[in-house]
Amino acid sequence: MLRSLLARASLGLVLSFQGLAHAGQEPPAPEPVRPVADPAPTSSDAEPDLPEFVLPTVDVIGKAIPEAPPDSVQRRDPTGAITVIDARERAGQARDTAELLGGSASLVVQDSGGYGQSKSLVVRGASANGVLVFLDGIPLNGAGGIADLSLVPVALVERLEILRGAAGARYGAGGLGGAVNIVTRAPSSRLVSSGEVTYGSFDTVTGHVAASGALLDGRALVLVHGGRSQGDFRFRVDELPALDDNPLMEEVRTRNDARGGGALVKYQRGLDGGGRVDLLAQLSLEDRALAGTVQNPQLSRRQDQTRLSLGGRWGRPFGDTGEASARGFFRRDWVDVLGGTTGVDAGAQRYTVGGLEVEGRAVVGGRHALAVTLATSSEAVTQATGAQSASWWRASVMVMDELSLLSERVKLVPSLRVERVGDYSLLSPKLGASVDLGRGFGVRANAGQSHRAPSFLELYIRQGLLLPNPDLKPERALSVDAAGLWRDAAWSVTAGGFAAVYENLIAYEMYPPMLAKPYNFAAARVWGAEVEVEARPRAWLTATTSYAWTRTQNRYGDPRYFGKELPYRPRHKWVGRVRAGPDWLNARTEVLVQSAQLINRVGEARLSLPSRTWVSVGASSTFLRRPDLTVSFDLKNLLDARTADFTGMPLPGRAAYVTFSVALEPLRSASSEDSHVASPP
């Protein structure tokens, strides 16, 4: 399974670092984009297929935006450090979901290769297994605790909702560094169809077709996607780095190929009384080569993965101030790792998770907006090797109060989640506050505690040379953040700082002979600052920028490592993006600067990944209307900066892509009106 593969890859690093594994992964950074209105229609005259956007904003302060859906990140955490990325504004520009997230503050992408290779997130210094990822509310973190973004193609995505900081109170165990909710495309009640195909470097081809329209007194969307990439490229390497002035040798990166496809089906139907039902089914299939690490390359190892996700949500308002909702979900992953060295072969793995969540909200006494959530789920994993299996159940109760003071200019939002995960009892409190200072100025602050229960792989499943440890304790994070915000009709600026202490972090340690076993002996401290700016001075001009400064400290008592920075956490990251021009012809450029990263906890500068500067440019033209025909050209990594992943394997250099897209939208007919679709809660 992907999680087991990442666990093995990180183990190779961890063993060579003598033990810091699970504390050592990275986060990507959010990019400022404005909150999104509920995509459902509000009247029979509404245009329901495309959500309407409000003022550009980076963070959400005060009460939740009225247009935000009831289950959106703004409603679930009104004072949180939130960024919403509109994927449709970058249509045709990104190859995968990780590319959309990579330009955000305090988020770092752990990339294992090109298209289709595993990609995970590190947020505010928390490990990738300490960041929760959801697909329309369906949890994507698997048995190893890590969510692989390569399994969610960008064609499915409408927007990305990012919460940085303690997410345990609102999202449950696992949210040490934050949470990301991937919101998929919404169906339309009008007959709308579209298609897109991209071809580019490394023999990469991706494409999708989609159709949406009225169906059975509701509206439906069907989207089919696919892609492949050979992934081979030339790079230069110093095969004898210990020798001075050693000539560089040219090699070809192999074991970087991938192919996959899948489908998304969504259905929405309005109910009497203003309620709505949403149904979702998503299937993904992927086959990719596994390169291994620089020290232990693989020549024939491959991974086949299939994922089926099912979800349903019912919601409706009660009276003038109340609402209720219920969500159910099911996900099944089939992962087979084939070939390679049989001594460490993980074999076939099956992971299943399903659950139910019920939530109620009501305004009490004019000042209190109370929310109560009851959730339960079960998880199970089986592995063919040794007929291993494990299962457990989760149950939690969450209570949140949004207290309004001084004519709603001051908000206090305490919340508490009590959770039982297998044999572990977890308590996750959080207190948030926001103040509207007037004239577009505001401040917000949060303090909270989150936990991550050990994963199935760490607790119960042996994976080759990795032994389980059923005596592990949950990891814990204590975090605080604060920020100031200013915005008007064209500008949005947010600047703030954060700090966190991670305790009982799980790291692998050598266990003779040549085995490794996880223990709770790592601890870390993280602090930093974030700035996000968005400007839309003209309808044809948009500029965004984000900067994150992050410091980390290893707090494990070994004097060789105490106080040293954690590996794979760049201290500086800056992203700037500009788009100019009307739809019929526009150009864009993006610059990402990221400082060097240590590759072990000893802290030696020579043992680090070098700093990187990625410059990308592109242009698009919608040269025909009805149907809309658009052609886009993108040149990624213009300066051909050569970098490596966290195992030392080289990443692709300069790459060019051409995208053709078409959107068919017939004139509106009476039969496609939305009078039969009620407003959402």
Side-chain angles (χ1 to χ4, degrees):
M1 171 172 188
L2 169 70
R3 318 309 189 267
S4 59
L5 295 171
L6 289 177
R8 275 194 299 278
S10 61
L11 169 64
L13 299 170
V14 168
L15 294 179
S16 63
F17 311 154
Q18 302 168 20
L20 177 65
H22 288 262
Q25 282 141 330
E26 325 180 325
E31 139 185 298
V33 178
R34 48 205 171 176
V36 183
D38 192 333
T42 56
S43 72
S44 61
D45 297 324
E47 296 284 343
D49 52 310
L50 292 177
E52 198 173 316
F53 289 84
V54 295
L55 290 180
T57 175
V58 178
D59 279 81
V60 178
I61 65 171
K63 68 178 181 179
I65 297 174
E67 295 87 349
D71 58 342
S72 68
V73 65
Q74 296 98 330
R75 297 287 297 272
R76 294 178 73 93
D77 199 329
T79 64
I82 294 168
T83 299
V84 181
I85 299 175
D86 178 14
R88 293 164 304 172
E89 288 193 341
R90 300 183 60 190
Q93 303 175 34
R95 311 279 80 77
D96 53 44
T97 304
E99 190 174 339
L100 293 176
L101 291 165
S104 304
S106 294
L107 275 73
V108 177
V109 176
Q110 283 190 329
D111 197 335
S112 296
Y115 170 83
Q117 296 297 322
S118 65
K119 297 173 177 62
S120 58
L121 294 179
V122 179
V123 178
R124 286 187 173 176
S127 302
N129 53 19
V131 179
L132 294 173
V133 181
F134 301 88
L135 180 76
D136 284 339
I138 301 173
L140 298 185
N141 296 68
I146 298 175
D148 182 6
L149 295 172
S150 72
L151 296 174
V152 185
V154 72
L156 273 59
V157 182
E158 180 176 284
R159 67 182 185 273
L160 300 163
E161 301 176 336
I162 303 161
L163 171 65
R164 288 160 290 163
R170 294 304 285 128
Y171 290 93
L176 300 184
V180 176
N181 186 31
I182 303 171
V183 181
T184 59
R185 294 169 57 164
S188 169
S189 60
R190 290 179 293 159
L191 180 59
V192 178
S193 57
S194 63
E196 182 179 284
V197 61
T198 298
Y199 180 78
S201 299
F202 323 123
D203 199 20
T204 301
V205 182
T206 64
H208 73 269
V209 293
S212 185
L215 178 69
L216 301 176
D217 295 327
R219 52 188 182 177
L221 166 72
V222 177
L223 185 149
V224 179
H225 62 87
R228 66 164 175 80
S229 178
Q230 187 61 31
D232 54 343
F233 57 89
R234 295 185 178 277
F235 67 98
R236 306 184 74 186
V237 62
D238 185 352
E239 295 183 339
L240 298 172
L243 300 180
D244 294 334
D245 301 322
N246 191 52
L248 298 179
M249 305 296 293
E250 187 173 86
E251 296 185 5
V252 176
R253 168 73 193 266
T254 59
R255 312 297 302 156
N256 192 36
D257 60 289
R259 59 184 178 180
L264 171 71
V265 179
K266 294 186 74 174
Y267 177 75
Q268 294 178 352
R269 180 173 178 175
L271 303 174
D272 294 339
R276 196 177 80 189
V277 170
D278 296 75
L279 302 176
L280 172 146
Q282 190 254 337
L283 174 69
S284 66
L285 306 96
E286 186 174 61
D287 168 44
R288 64 186 175 211
L290 302 178
T293 67
V294 172
Q295 296 82 9
N296 183 29
Q298 299 293 320
L299 300 179
S300 61
R301 203 169 181 83
R302 301 193 68 86
Q303 174 179 289
D304 291 330
Q305 178 157 341
T306 301
R307 169 175 291 171
L308 174 64
S309 300
L310 304 174
R313 183 182 182 276
W314 164 89
R316 63 158 296 170
F318 284 96
D320 297 330
T321 59
E323 56 191 40
S325 65
R327 180 194 302 276
F329 64 88
F330 171 84
R331 197 186 94 233
R332 180 73 182 269
D333 290 353
W334 295 263
V335 182
D336 291 328
V337 178
L338 308 171
T341 306
T342 57
V344 295
D345 199 346
Q349 191 176 84
R350 307 291 181 263
Y351 175 72
T352 305
V353 58
L356 177 66
E357 178 183 277
V358 178
E359 182 166 286
R361 301 169 182 265
V363 176
V364 179
R367 291 187 174 183
H368 298 269
L370 297 175
V372 178
T373 302
L374 304 177
T376 183
S377 64
S378 64
E379 299 176 62
V381 62
T382 59
Q383 190 151 298
T385 304
Q388 303 172 95
S389 64
S391 62
W392 64 20
W393 66 278
R394 298 177 179 230
S396 66
V397 178
M398 192 286 305
V399 179
M400 182 181 79
D401 181 21
E402 188 176 345
L403 174 61
S404 302
L405 301 171
L406 301 179
S407 301
E408 298 191 351
R409 287 186 172 273
V410 177
K411 296 284 186 178
L412 296 177
V413 186
S415 57
L416 175 66
R417 181 181 291 266
V418 179
E419 192 167 11
R420 181 74 175 179
V421 181
D423 295 331
Y424 306 103
S425 297
L426 309 176
L427 186 68
S428 298
K430 183 176 182 179
L431 176 62
S434 66
V435 181
D436 182 357
L437 301 175
R439 297 183 179 272
F441 290 92
V443 295
R444 59 156 182 78
N446 298 274
Q449 173 177 275
S450 297
H451 299 271
R452 184 186 79 87
S455 70
F456 279 131
L457 302 184
E458 294 160 342
L459 285 169
Y460 307 121
I461 305 296
R462 174 170 178 169
Q463 304 173 83
L465 300 178
L466 299 184
L467 300 177
N469 182 358
D471 297 323
L472 292 174
K473 301 175 183 178
E475 298 177 342
R476 184 174 74 138
L478 301 171
S479 62
V480 296
D481 66 63
L485 168 69
W486 174 77
R487 63 173 176 254
D488 64 9
W491 288 81
S492 176
V493 181
T494 301
F498 62 89
V501 176
Y502 300 116
E503 299 176 346
N504 287 328
L505 293 173
I506 299 169
Y508 281 85
E509 186 175 53
M510 289 296 296
Y511 189 83
M514 299 301 294
L515 299 175
K517 193 173 183 178
Y519 294 92
N520 291 102
F521 63 79
R525 184 167 63 186
V526 179
W527 68 98
E530 302 167 341
V531 178
E532 293 184 312
V533 181
E534 179 177 9
R536 297 176 182 266
R538 298 288 186 270
W540 49 269
L541 178 62
T542 301
T544 62
T545 184
S546 66
Y547 170 75
W549 173 77
T550 305
R551 286 296 309 271
T552 63
Q553 267 191 353
N554 188 338
R555 305 302 293 176
Y556 175 51
D558 191 318
R560 294 174 295 172
Y561 315 123
F562 188 84
K564 299 291 183 66
E565 291 193 48
L566 300 181
Y568 305 109
R569 268 78 164 181
R571 186 178 292 189
H572 304 279
K573 181 181 178 184
W574 174 77
V575 181
R577 181 182 293 112
V578 177
R579 180 188 183 276
D583 287 345
W584 61 269
L585 182 60
N586 61 81
R588 55 189 174 268
T589 184
E590 177 181 288
V591 180
L592 184 151
V593 179
Q594 186 170 288
S595 62
Q597 307 173 57
L598 297 174
I599 64 174
N600 69 22
R601 56 181 179 161
V602 175
E604 296 183 22
R606 66 181 183 86
L607 299 175
S608 64
L609 297 177
S611 61
R612 59 188 67 173
T613 299
W614 287 332
V615 179
S616 300
V617 297
S620 298
S621 175
T622 301
F623 57 89
L624 186 64
R625 293 290 187 180
R626 291 190 178 276
D628 292 359
L629 295 179
T630 303
V631 59
S632 300
F633 174 77
D634 286 276
L635 190 58
K636 305 289 187 181
N637 195 2
L638 176 66
L639 303 180
D640 199 26
R642 294 308 178 110
T643 58
D645 64 15
F646 63 92
T647 72
M649 287 291 187
L651 293 175
R654 184 186 298 115
Y657 301 94
V658 177
T659 300
F660 294 93
S661 60
V662 58
L664 305 175
E665 185 175 348
L667 292 174
R668 195 168 184 175
S669 64
S671 61
S672 64
E673 293 291 338
D674 293 295
S675 57
H676 57 278
V677 180
S679 301

